[in-house]
Amino acid sequence: MVNIDQINFENKRVVIRVDFNVPLDDNFNITDDTRMRAALPTINKVLNDNGMVVLMSHLGRPKKNPDPKYSIKPIIKHLEELLGRPVQFATDCMKAADQVAALKPGEVLVLENLRFYAEEEGKPRGVEKGEEGYDDAKKAVKASQKDFTKILAGYGEYYINDAFGTAHRAHASTALIADYFDANHKMYGYLMGKEVAAVNKVMNEIQHPFTAIMGGSKVSTKIEIIENLLTKVDNLILCGGMTYTFKKALGGKIGNSICEDDKLDLALDILAKAKEKGVNLVLAIDCVVGDKFGNDANTQVVDPMNIPEGWEGMDIGPKTRELFANVIKGSKTILWNGPCGVFEFDTFAQGSKAIAEAIAAATKEGGAFSLIGGGDSVACINKFGLADQVSYVSTGGGALLEAIEGKELPGIAAIKK
Ligand code: AMP
């Protein structure tokens, strides 16, 4: 495997998998271009070397070809602004060979949405798993996926994967394509490289004490992560909605708080495992409850083991803020996934804000490495304006979570092969 900085791409065609799956409004205006900006260093590296760039991405979940609602064309103008040069567009990702061949050094071509073809994901269309004909349809799409992948690979002498957000998918453009390039002709882009390095720091090159803060709404969506983290962390702070499943399992009264009744045994099992492994599992000792699920709810601070009827646990209380902040501030490696309250309502955002501030302080003053990511955590740290005061904010939601579960991501494995 080579490093992108080792290569001079002069006069070379480079096919780059980017994540341009940006949100668009009803008029096809980009509402958040973070993902496009994140890919710029890699694209500019190839262009500054006088190479030729072929960009490929998916956008949304199209079900047919073409599917104008999911065309990549509307983003071309903005990409031209970001790159400060014209950008060409291929209206069919399978019929771009002539345009690719005509590219001159410093030119950029963007392919239409890869997912217009079922072969990108390798999943049959129009027939669901379990339905008659599914197995045959799957075989057929898998067979034609080889040709699809080969055509994409033929667009470049080099392949760069800079789409961390889809690295957990074994799709044609994210994983299978890498087989067509030898170890000297495939590599991570800068964004992918940074993400992989950040994950490594919290999964493999851990500086202790290591504290993970897992929040969010449900324990069921985080089981595998929690189990993997129990083998690595010194402190595990479990917060957010899942708090109340634990408190109920421990015999608490939780009022109207969110709870997964079928996960009470699992919660007890997690507590036992933490004890067995010597992990300091930290739960809230007080909480802010509301009399309804809204920003204008009446509030009070109570014991999470004894929440009054009609009230719902929505955030951690002041004693817990202090407890969590102290654990965080004593850490050298920090991972945060999931808010500790309904942070979307300002009334219940104080706990998540305190966590964000403690992480920023541990990073700045304590020299800790801090990684924030997955789902709402990014929106949360952005809300408090602290994203630039932590070590790394991941761009990959599902991909980051699977990496923390300890899974090898196909998009990463394919480059390393
Ligand atoms: P997740 O996608 O599982 O990370 O969950 C994130 C969501 O959990 C956010 O939208 C929060 O509003 C929500 N959340 C956090 N704490 C609570 C709580 N105590 N009750 C209900 N929802 C919560």
Side-chain angles (χ1 to χ4, degrees):
M1 188 182 133
V2 283
N3 184 300
I4 185 169
D5 283 320
Q6 290 172 274
I7 310 287
N8 182 345
F9 295 102
E10 187 166 5
N11 275 320
K12 302 292 182 198
R13 284 189 176 73
V14 187
V15 60
I16 311 178
R17 177 51 157 105
V18 286
D19 182 2
F20 283 176
N21 183 28
V22 289
L24 300 171
D25 66 16
D26 291 345
N27 298 316
F28 299 101
N29 297 308
I30 300 164
T31 53
D32 181 353
D33 69 351
T34 310
R35 288 178 175 158
M36 292 175 77
R37 286 181 186 276
L40 293 179
T42 298
I43 302 170
N44 280 325
K45 153 71 178 156
V46 179
L47 293 176
N48 292 340
D49 279 356
N50 259 327
M52 297 158 259
V53 170
V54 179
L55 296 174
M56 53 179 183
S57 177
H58 75 285
L59 190 137
R61 295 181 185 276
K63 291 278 173 273
K64 55 183 184 178
N65 184 13
D67 197 341
K69 203 175 141 206
Y70 296 104
S71 174
I72 281 192
K73 194 159 186 225
I75 72 167
I76 299 295
K77 195 166 156 282
H78 188 57
L79 184 62
E80 289 182 326
E81 286 161 12
L82 292 173
L83 291 173
R85 64 180 82 207
V87 170
Q88 302 169 38
F89 182 64
T91 53
D92 186 328
C93 70
M94 283 291 97
K95 296 182 184 140
D98 289 348
Q99 281 170 283
V100 172
L103 281 175
K104 294 192 197 64
E107 289 186 348
V108 185
L109 173 71
V110 177
L111 306 181
E112 181 56 288
N113 197 342
L114 297 169
R115 287 197 191 164
F116 280 7
Y117 286 86
E119 283 79 2
E120 164 62 358
E121 293 176 274
K123 275 200 295 207
R125 296 220 168 125
V127 49
E128 295 299 322
K129 210 171 176 169
E131 282 177 10
E132 205 188 309
Y134 178 85
D135 290 342
D136 287 343
K138 178 138 190 185
K139 249 184 233 157
V141 77
K142 283 283 175 199
S144 52
Q145 195 179 35
K146 289 200 180 83
D147 291 334
F148 177 85
T149 311
K150 201 168 168 186
I151 288 173
L152 294 179
Y155 294 156
E157 293 150 273
Y158 287 92
Y159 166 65
I160 302 179
N161 190 349
D162 213 16
F164 182 72
T166 45
H168 56 317
R169 310 276 184 223
H171 293 167
S173 70
T174 59
L176 307 185
I177 189 173
D179 285 343
Y180 292 87
F181 299 84
D182 67 30
N184 293 319
H185 290 82
K186 59 183 168 189
M187 65 208 83
Y188 304 143
Y190 289 113
L191 173 67
M192 188 82 152
K194 277 198 288 186
E195 297 273 0
V196 171
V199 168
N200 249 334
K201 283 202 160 176
V202 296
M203 290 288 112
N204 304 317
E205 304 157 11
I206 305 163
Q207 300 278 327
H208 292 273
F210 176 13
T211 298
I213 306 126
M214 302 299 301
S217 50
K218 295 177 176 174
V219 65
S220 55
T221 56
K222 313 259 161 124
I223 296 167
E224 287 175 66
I225 300 175
I226 292 173
E227 298 213 318
N228 192 34
L229 287 174
L230 281 174
T231 65
K232 298 180 185 286
V233 298
D234 303 287
N235 305 302
L236 180 60
I237 295 177
L238 294 180
C239 53
M242 72 175 92
T243 307
Y244 308 98
T245 301
F246 282 87
K247 295 291 175 183
K248 185 163 178 184
L250 289 167
K253 292 198 191 93
I254 59 166
N256 285 349
S257 308
I258 184 172
C259 179
E260 289 172 283
D261 282 322
D262 59 337
K263 295 288 177 293
L264 300 180
D265 287 343
L266 174 84
L268 293 177
D269 189 45
I270 290 171
L271 293 171
K273 276 196 184 136
K275 205 167 177 191
E276 189 187 299
K277 291 185 190 306
V279 170
N280 176 31
L281 194 148
V282 194
L283 288 167
I285 50 173
D286 62 349
C287 66
V288 182
V289 293
D291 58 356
K292 64 173 180 180
F293 192 81
N295 198 33
D296 56 348
N298 293 308
T299 66
Q300 56 174 318
V301 176
V302 300
D303 175 356
M305 288 294 282
N306 202 4
I307 297 175
E309 275 309 313
W311 294 76
E312 173 173 1
M314 304 269 273
D315 194 9
I316 55 174
K319 282 193 208 137
T320 307
R321 292 203 290 267
E322 206 182 320
L323 172 72
F324 287 2
N326 284 336
V327 174
I328 291 166
K329 284 182 189 161
S331 311
K332 286 284 174 227
T333 304
I334 301 163
L335 170 70
W336 183 23
N337 167 258
C340 70
V342 188
F343 77 101
E344 295 91 339
F345 300 141
D346 287 344
T347 310
F348 301 104
Q350 278 194 66
S352 300
K353 188 170 181 223
I355 288 181
E357 284 169 350
I359 296 175
T363 310
K364 199 171 163 209
E365 290 147 31
F369 177 81
S370 50
L371 170 60
I372 320 297
D376 282 330
S377 330
V378 178
C380 192
I381 194 100
N382 284 336
K383 174 168 176 152
F384 308 125
L386 292 169
D388 59 350
Q389 292 183 48
V390 298
S391 307
Y392 195 70
V393 179
S394 176
T395 61
L400 179 78
L401 296 184
E402 288 201 16
I404 306 170
E405 282 170 13
K407 293 187 182 144
E408 169 137 83
L409 307 187
I412 291 172
I415 296 281
K416 283 205 233 159
K417 256 204 279 189

